[in-house]
Amino acid sequence: MELITELLEFWQTRYPKILQYTLEHITISFLAVLFGILLTLPLGIYLTRMKFKPVRETIFGIANVFQTIPTIALLAIMIPLLGIGTTPAIVALFLYSLLPLLRNTFAGIKSVDPGVIESARGMGLSPVQTLFKIEIPLAFPYIISGIKVTTVYVISWTTLAAVIGAGGLGDLILAGIGLNSKVLIITGTISAILLALLADLVLGFVEKKVTKQR
């Protein structure tokens, strides 16, 4: 009961600072996922057209390598390369986002029935029109599913970005560990969980709506 009282008092008096950490967390996560989408969406589509399989496997292999590196290790690698702060954190999380986004984009485009594509071209649609009017809309449920999973993961991983001075809700958790403050640790943890749940809810709603329309 005493802990709950302390939490409520802390949230009441320090909510502007909590909001600041939350906005930093959202910014880092959003930019990492956005840059991941901007790279993997065209790359995933291009790979579906690629005939030379070894190159495709190499690209997936490189993306997979980043997934195998522990988050804290990848963040540490960024320090000698890019220093500390927001930029290296975004780059590290961007690298983590590549594999699930690329895999789902590739799988989504590949899942489109070749007969549908042939029918579209038989109706006079160009390859570009077929891509944007047929393939991407049909593959969108796969793509949005990859974005949803990646976003939830990145929000969770962003808490570790505080160790290289990137800010975000991880700062509250680290401060709580340093000061042995349950209030700070619980505040940072709960806020990160709520952000991940909210992102999952919003993107899940979009996914269901798109799937229903399809």
Side-chain angles (χ1 to χ4, degrees):
M1 191 66 183
E2 183 181 343
L3 178 59
I4 294 175
T5 304
E6 288 180 19
L7 281 169
L8 292 175
E9 288 177 358
F10 179 77
W11 293 344
Q12 268 188 326
T13 57
R14 302 298 298 275
Y15 75 87
K17 198 67 177 175
I18 297 170
L19 182 60
Q20 178 188 331
Y21 285 128
T22 303
L23 290 175
E24 289 175 355
H25 203 98
I26 292 171
T27 301
I28 295 168
S29 304
F30 173 77
L31 289 175
V33 175
L34 176 63
F35 292 145
I37 293 170
L38 291 176
L39 175 62
T40 58
L41 186 59
L43 180 59
I45 293 170
Y46 175 71
L47 291 179
T48 62
R49 270 67 174 165
M50 183 176 287
K51 303 297 183 183
F52 195 53
K53 192 175 179 181
V55 174
R56 188 171 67 212
E57 291 177 347
T58 301
I59 292 172
F60 273 103
I62 293 170
N64 189 49
V65 167
F66 295 124
Q67 286 281 320
T68 63
I69 303 173
T71 310
I72 195 73
L74 186 57
L75 289 168
I77 291 170
M78 291 295 126
I79 295 175
L81 297 175
L82 298 170
I84 61 174
T86 304
T87 300
I90 292 173
V91 171
L93 294 168
F94 156 77
L95 294 175
Y96 268 119
S97 74
L98 295 180
L99 182 62
L101 291 172
L102 184 61
R103 185 172 53 205
N104 275 51
T105 301
F106 180 84
I109 298 296
K110 277 292 189 181
S111 71
V112 178
D113 187 347
V116 175
I117 297 173
E118 287 300 319
S119 297
R121 289 177 181 172
M123 293 170 63
L125 270 66
S126 68
V128 174
Q129 289 175 318
T130 302
L131 174 64
F132 284 98
K133 292 186 177 182
I134 304 295
E135 293 179 83
I136 290 179
L138 290 177
F140 194 72
Y142 286 85
I143 297 170
I144 194 66
S145 177
I147 293 172
K148 182 178 74 169
V149 171
T150 304
T151 302
V152 172
Y153 282 149
V154 167
I155 288 172
S156 301
W157 291 329
T158 301
T159 55
L160 291 172
V163 301
I164 60 169
L169 295 168
D171 269 355
L172 286 174
I173 298 172
L174 287 181
I177 294 171
L179 299 171
N180 194 27
S181 169
K182 294 179 181 177
V183 171
L184 288 172
I185 294 172
I186 292 173
T187 299
T189 303
I190 288 177
S191 299
I193 291 171
L194 289 176
L195 269 183
L197 289 174
L198 180 61
D200 183 70
L201 186 67
V202 171
L203 292 171
F205 173 78
V206 174
E207 181 183 6
K208 287 180 181 177
K209 191 165 185 180
V210 170
T211 302
K212 186 177 179 181
Q213 287 177 344
R214 179 190 177 193

